[in-house]
Amino acid sequence: MADNADLLAFVRARLAEEERVARDAGGDGWRCPAEVPGEVHDRTGGIAFVVRSRGYDRHIAFQDPARALRRVETNRVLLDEYEEIASLDTDRPHQDFPSGRAVGLGFVVRQMAAEHAGHPDYRVRWLPRFSHWGPPADPED
């Protein structure tokens, strides 16, 4: 498991797709005026779309492109941190701080990949795993 380059590439590709979709949808140009619930306005003030049923409007507005772009950027920071130590993320990590950091960040990156488990490039081996951390158990327990 020491070579996690394909996992990183997979998550980076999904983030790039999300970024493209958000930019195509207006980037940071959405506005949801409180005085007209259900309306989403573009940067010119025109109505981009209207959805006024069963809470869809609030959900869609919450998924605005600017928020998606911020999430992509924060996820890239996590990926950059993980990339520096990904080689330490193994099934049998050393019991030191860098290895613990690698396993912890690796768990986060695997969770990020799992969001896209239905994607044809997703690999089952990327499923989040839990590692035993600490001294070996006493066989007499």
Side-chain angles (χ1 to χ4, degrees):
M1 272 305 218
D3 182 16
N4 293 303
D6 53 345
L7 170 64
L8 280 160
F10 175 81
V11 175
R12 287 189 191 282
R14 303 296 72 76
L15 290 175
E17 289 170 357
E18 187 174 355
E19 179 180 32
R20 265 191 309 280
V21 168
R23 290 198 187 285
D24 289 349
D28 61 358
W30 277 25
R31 245 179 15 90
C32 301
E35 63 275 7
V36 282
E39 288 186 7
V40 177
H41 293 209
D42 63 20
R43 65 173 37 125
T44 68
I47 297 173
F49 60 89
V50 177
V51 181
R52 290 189 177 118
S53 61
R54 295 189 287 185
Y56 292 138
D57 57 338
R58 290 186 309 276
H59 175 72
I60 291 170
F62 190 67
Q63 304 305 318
D64 73 274
R67 184 171 190 272
L69 291 171
R70 287 190 304 273
R71 187 176 59 257
V72 164
E73 199 52 42
T74 58
N75 285 341
R76 284 182 174 146
V77 169
L78 287 170
L79 291 177
D80 291 345
E81 289 293 314
Y82 178 63
E83 188 170 32
E84 292 177 12
I85 55 172
S87 64
L88 301 175
D89 181 18
T90 65
D91 289 332
R92 297 191 181 274
H94 296 285
Q95 292 187 6
D96 58 13
F97 179 78
S99 297
R101 183 170 174 252
V103 169
L105 285 169
F107 180 79
V108 171
V109 172
R110 283 178 178 72
Q111 290 287 26
M112 291 165 62
E115 289 181 29
H116 307 281
H119 191 281
D121 294 335
Y122 182 79
R123 302 291 172 249
V124 174
R125 67 187 162 150
W126 297 335
L127 283 169
R129 66 179 188 271
F130 297 91
S131 296
H132 171 74
W133 193 260
D138 185 357
E140 305 226 357
D141 284 343

